[in-house]
Short mmCIF file of all heavy atoms in Angstrom, two decimals:
data_model
loop_
_atom_site.label_atom_id
_atom_site.label_comp_id
_atom_site.label_asym_id
_atom_site.label_seq_id
_atom_site.Cartn_x
_atom_site.Cartn_y
_atom_site.Cartn_z
N MET A 1 -18.37 10.29 7.03
CA MET A 1 -18.27 11.79 6.86
C MET A 1 -19.41 12.14 5.92
O MET A 1 -19.72 11.68 4.88
CB MET A 1 -16.96 12.15 6.15
CG MET A 1 -16.76 13.54 6.05
SD MET A 1 -14.94 13.82 5.71
CE MET A 1 -15.11 15.42 4.91
N HIS A 2 -20.13 13.13 6.34
CA HIS A 2 -21.31 13.62 5.61
C HIS A 2 -20.96 14.88 4.91
O HIS A 2 -20.40 15.87 5.35
CB HIS A 2 -22.44 14.02 6.69
CG HIS A 2 -23.68 14.53 6.02
ND1 HIS A 2 -24.39 13.71 5.12
CD2 HIS A 2 -24.31 15.77 6.03
CE1 HIS A 2 -25.47 14.41 4.71
NE2 HIS A 2 -25.35 15.65 5.17
N GLY A 3 -21.30 14.79 3.59
CA GLY A 3 -20.99 15.94 2.64
C GLY A 3 -22.31 16.40 2.03
O GLY A 3 -23.38 15.77 2.23
N PHE A 4 -22.16 17.46 1.34
CA PHE A 4 -23.38 17.97 0.60
C PHE A 4 -23.41 17.30 -0.80
O PHE A 4 -22.43 17.17 -1.44
CB PHE A 4 -23.20 19.50 0.39
CG PHE A 4 -23.43 20.32 1.59
CD1 PHE A 4 -22.39 20.93 2.25
CD2 PHE A 4 -24.63 20.47 2.24
CE1 PHE A 4 -22.39 21.68 3.36
CE2 PHE A 4 -24.79 21.19 3.35
CZ PHE A 4 -23.68 21.77 3.95
N ASP A 5 -24.65 16.97 -1.20
CA ASP A 5 -24.82 16.47 -2.52
C ASP A 5 -25.27 17.58 -3.38
O ASP A 5 -25.55 18.64 -2.96
CB ASP A 5 -25.72 15.24 -2.58
CG ASP A 5 -27.19 15.56 -2.20
OD1 ASP A 5 -27.53 16.74 -2.12
OD2 ASP A 5 -27.88 14.64 -1.93
N MET A 6 -25.43 17.37 -4.66
CA MET A 6 -25.85 18.45 -5.66
C MET A 6 -27.20 19.07 -5.31
O MET A 6 -27.30 20.22 -5.56
CB MET A 6 -25.70 17.95 -7.07
CG MET A 6 -24.28 17.62 -7.49
SD MET A 6 -23.15 18.93 -7.31
CE MET A 6 -23.62 19.89 -8.61
N ASN A 7 -28.07 18.33 -4.88
CA ASN A 7 -29.45 18.80 -4.55
C ASN A 7 -29.35 19.93 -3.37
O ASN A 7 -30.00 20.94 -3.42
CB ASN A 7 -30.46 17.78 -4.15
CG ASN A 7 -30.79 16.97 -5.46
OD1 ASN A 7 -30.73 17.41 -6.51
ND2 ASN A 7 -31.19 15.68 -5.15
N GLU A 8 -28.57 19.58 -2.38
CA GLU A 8 -28.40 20.47 -1.24
C GLU A 8 -27.66 21.81 -1.64
O GLU A 8 -27.99 22.82 -1.27
CB GLU A 8 -27.69 19.84 -0.10
CG GLU A 8 -28.52 18.70 0.57
CD GLU A 8 -27.70 17.97 1.65
OE1 GLU A 8 -26.50 17.93 1.56
OE2 GLU A 8 -28.35 17.31 2.50
N TRP A 9 -26.62 21.63 -2.57
CA TRP A 9 -25.92 22.84 -3.11
C TRP A 9 -26.91 23.68 -3.90
O TRP A 9 -26.91 24.92 -3.77
CB TRP A 9 -24.71 22.42 -3.90
CG TRP A 9 -23.53 22.11 -3.10
CD1 TRP A 9 -22.97 20.90 -2.94
CD2 TRP A 9 -22.79 23.08 -2.28
NE1 TRP A 9 -21.92 21.01 -2.03
CE2 TRP A 9 -21.80 22.22 -1.67
CE3 TRP A 9 -22.88 24.43 -2.07
CZ2 TRP A 9 -20.80 22.87 -0.87
CZ3 TRP A 9 -21.96 24.93 -1.24
CH2 TRP A 9 -20.91 24.25 -0.65
N GLY A 10 -27.66 23.08 -4.70
CA GLY A 10 -28.66 23.92 -5.49
C GLY A 10 -29.68 24.58 -4.67
O GLY A 10 -30.03 25.76 -4.87
N PHE A 11 -30.04 23.93 -3.55
CA PHE A 11 -30.96 24.52 -2.59
C PHE A 11 -30.36 25.75 -1.94
O PHE A 11 -30.97 26.80 -1.88
CB PHE A 11 -31.47 23.56 -1.53
CG PHE A 11 -32.49 23.94 -0.64
CD1 PHE A 11 -33.80 24.24 -0.95
CD2 PHE A 11 -32.09 24.25 0.72
CE1 PHE A 11 -34.72 24.70 -0.11
CE2 PHE A 11 -32.99 24.73 1.68
CZ PHE A 11 -34.33 24.88 1.28
N MET A 12 -29.14 25.61 -1.57
CA MET A 12 -28.40 26.67 -0.88
C MET A 12 -28.08 27.83 -1.85
O MET A 12 -28.22 28.99 -1.48
CB MET A 12 -27.09 26.16 -0.25
CG MET A 12 -27.37 25.23 0.98
SD MET A 12 -25.90 24.55 1.58
CE MET A 12 -24.82 25.90 2.08
N MET A 13 -27.88 27.57 -3.17
CA MET A 13 -27.59 28.57 -4.04
C MET A 13 -28.84 29.37 -4.32
O MET A 13 -28.79 30.54 -4.59
CB MET A 13 -27.00 27.93 -5.37
CG MET A 13 -25.53 27.54 -5.20
SD MET A 13 -24.89 26.78 -6.73
CE MET A 13 -25.09 28.13 -7.89
N GLY A 14 -30.01 28.65 -4.30
CA GLY A 14 -31.25 29.34 -4.48
C GLY A 14 -31.44 30.47 -3.39
O GLY A 14 -31.91 31.50 -3.72
N PHE A 15 -31.05 30.12 -2.11
CA PHE A 15 -31.12 31.14 -1.01
C PHE A 15 -30.23 32.23 -1.34
O PHE A 15 -30.53 33.42 -1.12
CB PHE A 15 -30.83 30.52 0.34
CG PHE A 15 -32.06 29.89 0.94
CD1 PHE A 15 -32.02 28.50 1.24
CD2 PHE A 15 -33.23 30.54 1.18
CE1 PHE A 15 -33.02 27.92 1.81
CE2 PHE A 15 -34.20 29.88 1.83
CZ PHE A 15 -34.16 28.59 2.08
N GLY A 16 -29.04 31.99 -1.90
CA GLY A 16 -28.14 33.05 -2.30
C GLY A 16 -28.69 33.97 -3.31
O GLY A 16 -28.58 35.22 -3.26
N TRP A 17 -29.28 33.50 -4.32
CA TRP A 17 -30.00 34.27 -5.41
C TRP A 17 -31.13 35.14 -4.78
O TRP A 17 -31.29 36.31 -5.12
CB TRP A 17 -30.47 33.42 -6.59
CG TRP A 17 -29.42 33.02 -7.47
CD1 TRP A 17 -28.95 31.69 -7.67
CD2 TRP A 17 -28.65 33.88 -8.29
NE1 TRP A 17 -27.90 31.77 -8.49
CE2 TRP A 17 -27.65 33.03 -8.96
CE3 TRP A 17 -28.68 35.24 -8.55
CZ2 TRP A 17 -26.72 33.54 -9.84
CZ3 TRP A 17 -27.68 35.67 -9.46
CH2 TRP A 17 -26.80 34.87 -10.05
N ILE A 18 -31.93 34.50 -3.94
CA ILE A 18 -33.06 35.16 -3.24
C ILE A 18 -32.48 36.32 -2.40
O ILE A 18 -32.91 37.43 -2.41
CB ILE A 18 -33.85 34.25 -2.41
CG1 ILE A 18 -34.66 33.31 -3.33
CG2 ILE A 18 -34.80 35.02 -1.50
CD1 ILE A 18 -35.38 32.18 -2.64
N GLY A 19 -31.44 36.12 -1.72
CA GLY A 19 -30.77 37.17 -0.95
C GLY A 19 -30.29 38.33 -1.77
O GLY A 19 -30.43 39.45 -1.42
N LEU A 20 -29.60 38.01 -2.91
CA LEU A 20 -29.19 39.03 -3.85
C LEU A 20 -30.39 39.86 -4.46
O LEU A 20 -30.23 41.09 -4.52
CB LEU A 20 -28.33 38.49 -4.94
CG LEU A 20 -26.98 38.02 -4.58
CD1 LEU A 20 -26.30 37.25 -5.70
CD2 LEU A 20 -26.07 39.11 -4.13
N ILE A 21 -31.42 39.13 -4.66
CA ILE A 21 -32.52 39.86 -5.30
C ILE A 21 -33.23 40.78 -4.24
O ILE A 21 -33.51 41.97 -4.47
CB ILE A 21 -33.59 38.88 -5.88
CG1 ILE A 21 -33.04 38.16 -7.12
CG2 ILE A 21 -34.91 39.53 -6.21
CD1 ILE A 21 -33.89 37.00 -7.58
N LEU A 22 -33.32 40.28 -2.99
CA LEU A 22 -33.80 41.12 -1.97
C LEU A 22 -33.01 42.30 -1.70
O LEU A 22 -33.47 43.45 -1.47
CB LEU A 22 -34.04 40.24 -0.68
CG LEU A 22 -35.16 39.24 -0.64
CD1 LEU A 22 -35.17 38.45 0.68
CD2 LEU A 22 -36.50 40.04 -0.75
N LEU A 23 -31.68 42.09 -1.69
CA LEU A 23 -30.74 43.27 -1.45
C LEU A 23 -30.84 44.33 -2.56
O LEU A 23 -30.94 45.53 -2.23
CB LEU A 23 -29.29 42.73 -1.45
CG LEU A 23 -28.19 43.73 -1.28
CD1 LEU A 23 -28.36 44.40 0.18
CD2 LEU A 23 -26.80 43.12 -1.39
N ALA A 24 -31.06 43.84 -3.81
CA ALA A 24 -31.27 44.79 -4.86
C ALA A 24 -32.60 45.64 -4.71
O ALA A 24 -32.59 46.85 -4.99
CB ALA A 24 -31.28 44.07 -6.28
N VAL A 25 -33.62 44.93 -4.30
CA VAL A 25 -34.91 45.54 -4.10
C VAL A 25 -34.85 46.64 -2.97
O VAL A 25 -35.29 47.71 -3.13
CB VAL A 25 -35.98 44.63 -3.83
CG1 VAL A 25 -37.32 45.25 -3.37
CG2 VAL A 25 -36.26 43.68 -5.02
N VAL A 26 -34.13 46.27 -1.90
CA VAL A 26 -34.02 47.17 -0.76
C VAL A 26 -33.23 48.36 -1.20
O VAL A 26 -33.47 49.48 -0.85
CB VAL A 26 -33.37 46.41 0.44
CG1 VAL A 26 -32.92 47.44 1.53
CG2 VAL A 26 -34.34 45.43 0.95
N LEU A 27 -32.09 48.19 -1.88
CA LEU A 27 -31.25 49.21 -2.32
C LEU A 27 -31.90 50.19 -3.29
O LEU A 27 -31.92 51.42 -3.12
CB LEU A 27 -29.95 48.77 -3.00
CG LEU A 27 -28.87 48.19 -2.08
CD1 LEU A 27 -27.75 47.58 -2.93
CD2 LEU A 27 -28.39 49.28 -1.18
N PHE A 28 -32.77 49.65 -4.19
CA PHE A 28 -33.52 50.47 -5.14
C PHE A 28 -34.54 51.26 -4.32
O PHE A 28 -34.71 52.42 -4.58
CB PHE A 28 -34.26 49.56 -6.14
CG PHE A 28 -35.22 50.26 -7.08
CD1 PHE A 28 -34.70 50.97 -8.08
CD2 PHE A 28 -36.54 50.31 -6.78
CE1 PHE A 28 -35.59 51.60 -8.96
CE2 PHE A 28 -37.46 50.97 -7.61
CZ PHE A 28 -36.90 51.68 -8.75
N TYR A 29 -35.14 50.72 -3.37
CA TYR A 29 -36.20 51.40 -2.49
C TYR A 29 -35.61 52.61 -1.81
O TYR A 29 -36.06 53.77 -1.92
CB TYR A 29 -36.82 50.51 -1.49
CG TYR A 29 -37.75 51.20 -0.56
CD1 TYR A 29 -39.00 51.60 -0.90
CD2 TYR A 29 -37.22 51.52 0.74
CE1 TYR A 29 -39.75 52.29 0.07
CE2 TYR A 29 -38.04 52.15 1.68
CZ TYR A 29 -39.30 52.60 1.26
OH TYR A 29 -40.06 53.18 2.16
N PHE A 30 -34.43 52.44 -1.24
CA PHE A 30 -33.77 53.48 -0.46
C PHE A 30 -33.23 54.62 -1.36
O PHE A 30 -33.39 55.79 -1.13
CB PHE A 30 -32.58 52.95 0.33
CG PHE A 30 -33.17 52.33 1.72
CD1 PHE A 30 -32.94 50.97 1.96
CD2 PHE A 30 -33.81 53.10 2.65
CE1 PHE A 30 -33.47 50.41 3.15
CE2 PHE A 30 -34.30 52.48 3.79
CZ PHE A 30 -34.09 51.15 4.00
N VAL A 31 -32.61 54.23 -2.55
CA VAL A 31 -32.12 55.21 -3.44
C VAL A 31 -33.31 56.01 -4.05
O VAL A 31 -33.17 57.21 -4.11
CB VAL A 31 -31.36 54.48 -4.59
CG1 VAL A 31 -31.07 55.48 -5.68
CG2 VAL A 31 -30.03 53.99 -4.03
N ASN A 32 -34.39 55.41 -4.43
CA ASN A 32 -35.56 56.04 -4.98
C ASN A 32 -36.18 56.97 -3.94
O ASN A 32 -36.58 58.11 -4.13
CB ASN A 32 -36.55 55.07 -5.43
CG ASN A 32 -37.62 55.68 -6.36
OD1 ASN A 32 -37.46 56.66 -6.97
ND2 ASN A 32 -38.78 55.14 -6.29
N ASN A 33 -36.28 56.43 -2.68
CA ASN A 33 -36.82 57.30 -1.57
C ASN A 33 -36.00 58.50 -1.20
O ASN A 33 -36.56 59.58 -1.04
CB ASN A 33 -36.94 56.46 -0.32
CG ASN A 33 -37.92 57.00 0.66
OD1 ASN A 33 -38.74 57.81 0.34
ND2 ASN A 33 -37.76 56.57 1.89
N MET A 34 -34.68 58.38 -1.31
CA MET A 34 -33.80 59.55 -1.11
C MET A 34 -33.94 60.56 -2.23
O MET A 34 -33.92 61.77 -1.89
CB MET A 34 -32.33 59.08 -0.93
CG MET A 34 -32.05 58.38 0.21
SD MET A 34 -32.55 59.30 1.73
CE MET A 34 -31.01 59.33 2.57
N GLN A 35 -34.06 60.15 -3.44
CA GLN A 35 -34.28 61.16 -4.58
C GLN A 35 -35.51 61.87 -4.38
O GLN A 35 -35.54 63.11 -4.65
CB GLN A 35 -34.17 60.34 -5.86
CG GLN A 35 -32.81 59.92 -6.20
CD GLN A 35 -32.76 59.02 -7.53
OE1 GLN A 35 -33.87 58.62 -7.98
NE2 GLN A 35 -31.62 58.76 -8.00
N ASN A 36 -36.58 61.25 -3.96
CA ASN A 36 -37.89 61.91 -3.84
C ASN A 36 -37.88 62.92 -2.68
O ASN A 36 -38.47 63.88 -2.77
CB ASN A 36 -38.97 60.88 -3.54
CG ASN A 36 -39.32 60.04 -4.74
OD1 ASN A 36 -39.03 60.55 -5.95
ND2 ASN A 36 -39.87 58.87 -4.59
N LYS A 37 -37.07 62.62 -1.70
CA LYS A 37 -37.03 63.68 -0.55
C LYS A 37 -36.25 64.91 -0.94
O LYS A 37 -36.55 65.96 -0.43
CB LYS A 37 -36.30 62.99 0.68
CG LYS A 37 -37.17 61.95 1.38
CD LYS A 37 -36.49 61.46 2.66
CE LYS A 37 -37.40 60.48 3.36
NZ LYS A 37 -36.71 59.95 4.53
N ASN A 38 -35.42 64.85 -1.92
CA ASN A 38 -34.56 65.99 -2.30
C ASN A 38 -35.35 66.86 -3.32
O ASN A 38 -34.84 68.00 -3.60
CB ASN A 38 -33.28 65.47 -2.83
CG ASN A 38 -32.40 64.82 -1.83
OD1 ASN A 38 -32.50 65.10 -0.70
ND2 ASN A 38 -31.58 63.93 -2.29
N GLN A 39 -36.53 66.51 -3.69
CA GLN A 39 -37.15 67.28 -4.83
C GLN A 39 -37.97 68.38 -4.07
O GLN A 39 -38.59 68.09 -3.02
CB GLN A 39 -38.15 66.38 -5.58
CG GLN A 39 -37.37 65.41 -6.48
CD GLN A 39 -38.36 64.54 -7.30
OE1 GLN A 39 -39.46 64.55 -7.01
NE2 GLN A 39 -37.80 63.72 -8.20
N GLU A 40 -37.99 69.48 -4.75
CA GLU A 40 -38.86 70.59 -4.30
C GLU A 40 -40.34 70.35 -4.65
O GLU A 40 -40.66 69.73 -5.61
CB GLU A 40 -38.44 71.89 -5.00
CG GLU A 40 -37.09 72.42 -4.54
CD GLU A 40 -37.03 72.92 -3.15
OE1 GLU A 40 -38.03 73.44 -2.69
OE2 GLU A 40 -35.98 72.66 -2.55
N PRO A 41 -41.30 70.72 -3.73
CA PRO A 41 -42.78 70.41 -4.07
C PRO A 41 -43.12 71.38 -5.16
O PRO A 41 -42.66 72.45 -5.34
CB PRO A 41 -43.42 70.86 -2.78
CG PRO A 41 -42.51 71.70 -2.05
CD PRO A 41 -41.05 71.36 -2.44
N SER A 42 -44.02 70.82 -6.08
CA SER A 42 -44.57 71.62 -7.15
C SER A 42 -45.49 72.68 -6.74
O SER A 42 -45.99 72.68 -5.57
CB SER A 42 -45.18 70.66 -8.16
OG SER A 42 -46.39 70.17 -7.63
N ALA A 43 -45.80 73.63 -7.62
CA ALA A 43 -46.74 74.62 -7.36
C ALA A 43 -48.05 73.97 -6.91
O ALA A 43 -48.86 74.48 -6.12
CB ALA A 43 -46.93 75.62 -8.48
N ARG A 44 -48.47 72.91 -7.72
CA ARG A 44 -49.77 72.24 -7.46
C ARG A 44 -49.72 71.59 -6.08
O ARG A 44 -50.76 71.56 -5.30
CB ARG A 44 -50.03 71.19 -8.59
CG ARG A 44 -51.26 70.39 -8.37
CD ARG A 44 -52.53 71.29 -8.44
NE ARG A 44 -53.71 70.47 -8.08
CZ ARG A 44 -54.42 69.88 -8.91
NH1 ARG A 44 -54.27 69.99 -10.24
NH2 ARG A 44 -55.58 69.27 -8.46
N ASP A 45 -48.61 71.01 -5.67
CA ASP A 45 -48.49 70.43 -4.34
C ASP A 45 -48.73 71.49 -3.25
O ASP A 45 -49.45 71.24 -2.30
CB ASP A 45 -47.14 69.74 -4.11
CG ASP A 45 -46.95 68.50 -4.99
OD1 ASP A 45 -47.97 67.90 -5.41
OD2 ASP A 45 -45.79 68.21 -5.25
N ILE A 46 -48.15 72.66 -3.40
CA ILE A 46 -48.24 73.71 -2.41
C ILE A 46 -49.67 74.20 -2.44
O ILE A 46 -50.32 74.43 -1.29
CB ILE A 46 -47.22 74.81 -2.76
CG1 ILE A 46 -45.86 74.36 -2.62
CG2 ILE A 46 -47.56 76.12 -1.98
CD1 ILE A 46 -44.80 75.41 -3.22
N LEU A 47 -50.28 74.32 -3.57
CA LEU A 47 -51.76 74.77 -3.63
C LEU A 47 -52.57 73.75 -2.91
O LEU A 47 -53.43 74.13 -2.15
CB LEU A 47 -52.17 75.01 -5.15
CG LEU A 47 -53.60 75.46 -5.32
CD1 LEU A 47 -53.84 76.78 -4.71
CD2 LEU A 47 -53.94 75.37 -6.79
N ASP A 48 -52.45 72.51 -3.23
CA ASP A 48 -53.21 71.49 -2.58
C ASP A 48 -53.12 71.47 -1.06
O ASP A 48 -54.08 71.32 -0.33
CB ASP A 48 -52.91 70.09 -3.09
CG ASP A 48 -53.36 69.85 -4.52
OD1 ASP A 48 -54.18 70.65 -4.99
OD2 ASP A 48 -52.79 68.88 -5.19
N LYS A 49 -51.87 71.69 -0.61
CA LYS A 49 -51.70 71.75 0.86
C LYS A 49 -52.34 72.97 1.52
O LYS A 49 -52.86 72.79 2.59
CB LYS A 49 -50.14 71.68 1.08
CG LYS A 49 -49.77 71.54 2.55
CD LYS A 49 -48.30 71.33 2.74
CE LYS A 49 -47.99 71.15 4.22
NZ LYS A 49 -46.63 70.93 4.45
N ARG A 50 -52.26 74.13 0.85
CA ARG A 50 -52.91 75.29 1.39
C ARG A 50 -54.41 75.16 1.43
O ARG A 50 -54.98 75.49 2.44
CB ARG A 50 -52.49 76.48 0.56
CG ARG A 50 -51.07 76.92 0.69
CD ARG A 50 -50.87 78.23 -0.17
NE ARG A 50 -51.60 79.27 0.38
CZ ARG A 50 -51.92 80.43 -0.35
NH1 ARG A 50 -51.45 80.59 -1.52
NH2 ARG A 50 -52.66 81.34 0.23
N TYR A 51 -54.98 74.53 0.38
CA TYR A 51 -56.43 74.22 0.40
C TYR A 51 -56.74 73.20 1.55
O TYR A 51 -57.73 73.46 2.26
CB TYR A 51 -56.85 73.65 -0.91
CG TYR A 51 -58.33 73.34 -1.03
CD1 TYR A 51 -59.21 74.39 -0.99
CD2 TYR A 51 -58.79 72.11 -1.14
CE1 TYR A 51 -60.61 74.11 -1.10
CE2 TYR A 51 -60.08 71.77 -1.29
CZ TYR A 51 -60.99 72.78 -1.24
OH TYR A 51 -62.38 72.55 -1.34
N ALA A 52 -55.99 72.22 1.72
CA ALA A 52 -56.24 71.20 2.74
C ALA A 52 -56.11 71.75 4.11
O ALA A 52 -56.78 71.34 5.03
CB ALA A 52 -55.31 69.96 2.55
N ASN A 53 -55.18 72.70 4.31
CA ASN A 53 -55.02 73.38 5.56
C ASN A 53 -56.07 74.43 5.86
O ASN A 53 -56.04 75.01 6.93
CB ASN A 53 -53.57 74.03 5.79
CG ASN A 53 -52.49 72.95 5.82
OD1 ASN A 53 -52.81 71.77 6.23
ND2 ASN A 53 -51.32 73.27 5.48
N GLY A 54 -56.98 74.74 4.92
CA GLY A 54 -57.95 75.76 5.12
C GLY A 54 -57.48 77.19 4.86
O GLY A 54 -58.16 78.10 5.30
N GLU A 55 -56.29 77.36 4.35
CA GLU A 55 -55.72 78.66 4.10
C GLU A 55 -56.47 79.41 2.94
O GLU A 55 -56.45 80.65 2.97
CB GLU A 55 -54.24 78.60 3.80
CG GLU A 55 -53.43 78.02 4.89
CD GLU A 55 -51.94 77.87 4.51
OE1 GLU A 55 -51.50 78.62 3.59
OE2 GLU A 55 -51.30 76.95 5.11
N ILE A 56 -56.99 78.72 2.00
CA ILE A 56 -57.78 79.27 0.94
C ILE A 56 -59.07 78.55 0.79
O ILE A 56 -59.24 77.41 1.21
CB ILE A 56 -56.96 79.24 -0.32
CG1 ILE A 56 -56.61 77.79 -0.75
CG2 ILE A 56 -55.75 80.12 -0.33
CD1 ILE A 56 -55.83 77.70 -2.09
N ASP A 57 -60.07 79.29 0.25
CA ASP A 57 -61.43 78.74 0.09
C ASP A 57 -61.47 77.98 -1.28
O ASP A 57 -60.54 78.04 -2.10
CB ASP A 57 -62.46 79.75 0.26
CG ASP A 57 -62.40 80.95 -0.76
OD1 ASP A 57 -61.65 80.70 -1.76
OD2 ASP A 57 -63.13 81.88 -0.56
N ASP A 58 -62.64 77.41 -1.54
CA ASP A 58 -62.78 76.56 -2.68
C ASP A 58 -62.77 77.36 -3.93
O ASP A 58 -62.07 77.03 -4.93
CB ASP A 58 -64.23 75.83 -2.62
CG ASP A 58 -64.38 74.88 -3.70
OD1 ASP A 58 -63.51 74.01 -3.92
OD2 ASP A 58 -65.39 74.90 -4.46
N GLU A 59 -63.34 78.59 -3.96
CA GLU A 59 -63.42 79.46 -5.07
C GLU A 59 -61.94 79.90 -5.44
O GLU A 59 -61.53 79.81 -6.63
CB GLU A 59 -64.18 80.66 -4.82
CG GLU A 59 -64.32 81.68 -6.03
CD GLU A 59 -65.21 82.82 -5.72
OE1 GLU A 59 -66.28 82.63 -5.17
OE2 GLU A 59 -64.76 83.95 -5.99
N GLU A 60 -61.17 80.32 -4.47
CA GLU A 60 -59.81 80.72 -4.75
C GLU A 60 -58.93 79.53 -5.19
O GLU A 60 -58.14 79.65 -6.02
CB GLU A 60 -59.16 81.33 -3.47
CG GLU A 60 -57.81 81.86 -3.73
CD GLU A 60 -57.32 82.74 -2.47
OE1 GLU A 60 -57.95 82.64 -1.42
OE2 GLU A 60 -56.25 83.38 -2.63
N TYR A 61 -59.13 78.39 -4.59
CA TYR A 61 -58.41 77.20 -5.00
C TYR A 61 -58.69 76.82 -6.41
O TYR A 61 -57.80 76.49 -7.20
CB TYR A 61 -58.92 75.98 -4.11
CG TYR A 61 -58.28 74.65 -4.62
CD1 TYR A 61 -56.99 74.32 -4.25
CD2 TYR A 61 -59.12 73.74 -5.28
CE1 TYR A 61 -56.48 73.11 -4.61
CE2 TYR A 61 -58.59 72.50 -5.61
CZ TYR A 61 -57.28 72.17 -5.39
OH TYR A 61 -56.68 70.97 -5.81
N GLN A 62 -59.95 76.81 -6.86
CA GLN A 62 -60.28 76.53 -8.24
C GLN A 62 -59.66 77.55 -9.23
O GLN A 62 -59.15 77.17 -10.33
CB GLN A 62 -61.79 76.44 -8.46
CG GLN A 62 -62.47 75.29 -7.77
CD GLN A 62 -62.02 73.94 -8.19
OE1 GLN A 62 -61.58 73.77 -9.31
NE2 GLN A 62 -62.04 72.93 -7.28
N ARG A 63 -59.76 78.81 -8.84
CA ARG A 63 -59.16 79.82 -9.74
C ARG A 63 -57.69 79.70 -9.88
O ARG A 63 -57.07 79.73 -10.95
CB ARG A 63 -59.50 81.24 -9.12
CG ARG A 63 -58.98 82.42 -9.94
CD ARG A 63 -59.31 83.72 -9.34
NE ARG A 63 -58.87 83.90 -7.98
CZ ARG A 63 -57.65 84.12 -7.51
NH1 ARG A 63 -56.74 84.25 -8.39
NH2 ARG A 63 -57.43 84.16 -6.24
N MET A 64 -57.00 79.39 -8.73
CA MET A 64 -55.52 79.24 -8.80
C MET A 64 -55.16 77.95 -9.58
O MET A 64 -54.17 77.93 -10.25
CB MET A 64 -54.95 79.28 -7.43
CG MET A 64 -55.11 80.61 -6.73
SD MET A 64 -54.74 80.58 -4.96
CE MET A 64 -52.89 80.96 -5.11
N LYS A 65 -55.87 76.98 -9.39
CA LYS A 65 -55.65 75.73 -10.03
C LYS A 65 -55.72 75.90 -11.58
O LYS A 65 -54.91 75.41 -12.33
CB LYS A 65 -56.64 74.56 -9.61
CG LYS A 65 -56.29 73.17 -10.19
CD LYS A 65 -57.06 72.17 -9.50
CE LYS A 65 -58.44 72.08 -10.06
NZ LYS A 65 -59.21 70.85 -9.61
N GLU A 66 -56.77 76.65 -12.01
CA GLU A 66 -56.94 76.99 -13.46
C GLU A 66 -55.73 77.75 -13.98
O GLU A 66 -55.24 77.59 -15.05
CB GLU A 66 -58.20 77.70 -13.70
CG GLU A 66 -59.41 76.86 -13.73
CD GLU A 66 -59.45 75.75 -14.81
OE1 GLU A 66 -59.05 76.11 -15.97
OE2 GLU A 66 -59.68 74.58 -14.49
N ASN A 67 -55.29 78.71 -13.17
CA ASN A 67 -54.18 79.59 -13.60
C ASN A 67 -52.83 78.73 -13.74
O ASN A 67 -52.08 78.97 -14.62
CB ASN A 67 -53.89 80.67 -12.53
CG ASN A 67 -54.88 81.73 -12.66
OD1 ASN A 67 -55.53 81.88 -13.68
ND2 ASN A 67 -55.02 82.58 -11.63
N LEU A 68 -52.73 77.64 -13.00
CA LEU A 68 -51.54 76.80 -13.05
C LEU A 68 -51.58 76.03 -14.40
O LEU A 68 -50.53 75.67 -14.90
CB LEU A 68 -51.44 75.91 -11.84
CG LEU A 68 -51.03 76.51 -10.54
CD1 LEU A 68 -51.18 75.48 -9.40
CD2 LEU A 68 -49.61 77.18 -10.60
N LYS A 69 -52.74 75.73 -14.78
CA LYS A 69 -52.86 74.94 -16.11
C LYS A 69 -52.33 75.69 -17.30
O LYS A 69 -51.92 75.17 -18.30
CB LYS A 69 -54.28 74.51 -16.37
CG LYS A 69 -54.72 73.39 -15.35
CD LYS A 69 -56.19 72.97 -15.69
CE LYS A 69 -56.63 71.96 -14.67
NZ LYS A 69 -58.01 71.50 -15.03
N HIS A 70 -52.41 77.05 -17.27
CA HIS A 70 -51.98 77.85 -18.41
C HIS A 70 -50.62 78.16 -18.47
O HIS A 70 -49.81 78.30 -17.67
CB HIS A 70 -52.85 79.09 -18.46
CG HIS A 70 -54.36 78.87 -18.56
ND1 HIS A 70 -54.93 78.33 -19.65
CD2 HIS A 70 -55.29 79.10 -17.68
CE1 HIS A 70 -56.23 78.25 -19.43
NE2 HIS A 70 -56.45 78.63 -18.24
#
């Protein structure tokens, strides 16, 4: 009859710990990602997007960016 010796059990337990660590990392990633999706964009984010889309020119972008700093 073939059984497991202590070295094989230690090896298998190592995989168990790796699995738990990977599970924790994946859960952290999904929880963090969900929290970021629920946040409203900041005024600077909106300004940057408008500038990138060509809705405002460089001069207006710089002026509005300065106003946001104050």
Side-chain angles (χ1 to χ4, degrees):
M1 185 167 158
H2 179 66
F4 290 107
D5 64 14
M6 292 307 285
N7 288 334
E8 290 173 340
W9 277 110
F11 183 72
M12 291 174 62
M13 286 179 63
F15 276 119
W17 283 110
I18 291 171
L20 286 174
I21 292 169
L22 286 174
L23 179 64
V25 169
V26 168
L27 285 174
F28 176 79
Y29 171 77
F30 281 116
V31 168
N32 194 30
N33 197 21
M34 290 302 237
Q35 288 176 348
N36 289 340
K37 285 184 179 180
N38 294 333
Q39 292 178 353
E40 294 288 325
S42 68
R44 177 65 188 267
D45 292 336
I46 295 169
L47 179 62
D48 290 345
K49 187 172 183 177
R50 289 185 64 200
Y51 180 66
N53 290 337
E55 297 175 25
I56 56 177
D57 62 11
D58 188 51
E59 183 179 314
E60 188 173 5
Y61 172 78
Q62 294 299 329
R63 182 180 52 79
M64 293 173 90
K65 188 169 80 169
E66 283 298 315
N67 285 340
L68 288 175
K69 289 181 182 179
H70 300 292

